Amino acid sequence: MTTITLIHTSDAHVPTFKALAERIAPEADLVQLVREDWLRSAQKHGLRTGLRDEIATAIKAAEGTVICTCTTIGEAATQAGAIRIDAPMMAEAAAIGGPILLVYALDSTAQPSLQALEAALAAANTPAEVAPLNLSEFWPLFEAGQFEAFAACMAGGVRDALEQRDFACVILAQASMAQAAPLLADLKTPVLTSPEAALRAAIKGKDGARLFRRVRLLVNPSRHRT
């Protein structure tokens, strides 16, 4: 049985990917590893050697293809052999062209997201203007589990930006922001999100095999020792 392991830094992503798996590829093994402590460490100290080593060890021990859903630790995960969740989305944006509205809600993701987009633009040889939109003032809503309010604020920020000028596409840089996309479905401007794009890319990488028959959740025990 084919296995794909997802590495999260928030357990809020677990139901999102479980639902995606059930909808687009219901016949393989989806393992979800939640390590909220990695995000806290990266935000506080950056991607230090100790954290990089811990991430690399987990990825090497993981089953099947590994996708990292956290932009903040994405670079370290990629170096260890994982797939960055935003890579397919950035390639799609590069194909559309600019100007591109790059929306993020966590300060530590700003630079990694911009670098990933610039790499995609360079690979596609499609230089484009990129306008970052910082909505980090609303991140506490996500941390508090107020996901509907968080999504509404993300959508409101995007609409405000589009009222100011036109963009060829909008990137919701973090997987946590994908819930805002349905609230923007009426827009003519494409709104790109990473979860489904990454999962479909992984499926194509497996020669179209039908995936995700079973869904398992691995939660870092240290999260419950505070």
Side-chain angles (χ1 to χ4, degrees), residues 101 103 133 151 154-172 180-192:
L101 182 64
V103 190
L133 176 59
M154 296 299 99
V158 170
R159 289 186 184 278
D160 289 344
L162 292 177
E163 287 179 359
Q164 302 300 316
R165 62 171 297 188
D166 293 329
F167 289 94
C169 67
V170 175
I171 292 175
L172 300 181
L183 304 179
L184 299 167
D186 60 301
L187 297 177
K188 294 181 179 180
T189 305
V191 177
L192 309 182

Side-chain angles (χ1 to χ4, degrees), residues 29-65:
D29 190 6
L30 185 68
V31 182
Q32 303 204 63
L33 171 64
V34 180
R35 292 298 303 260
E36 294 178 348
D37 57 315
W38 286 351
L39 177 58
R40 291 194 297 267
S41 179
Q43 289 177 304
K44 186 174 182 180
H45 304 295
L47 290 172
R48 290 183 174 180
T49 301
L51 178 58
R52 288 178 178 272
D53 289 345
E54 191 172 354
I55 293 170
T57 297
I59 289 173
K60 290 177 182 177
E63 301 176 64
T65 301

Side-chain angles (χ1 to χ4, degrees), residues 67-68 71 78 82-94 116-117 120 173 194 197-198 201:
I67 301 175
C68 176
T71 306
T78 300
I83 298 171
R84 275 185 64 137
I85 189 172
D86 56 1
M89 175 180 65
M90 298 304 186
E92 186 177 352
L117 178 55
S194 58

Side-chain angles (χ1 to χ4, degrees), residues 87 90-95 114-128:
M90 298 304 186
E92 186 177 352
L114 181 58
Q115 290 174 344
L117 178 55
E118 289 177 340
L121 291 168
N125 194 26
T126 54

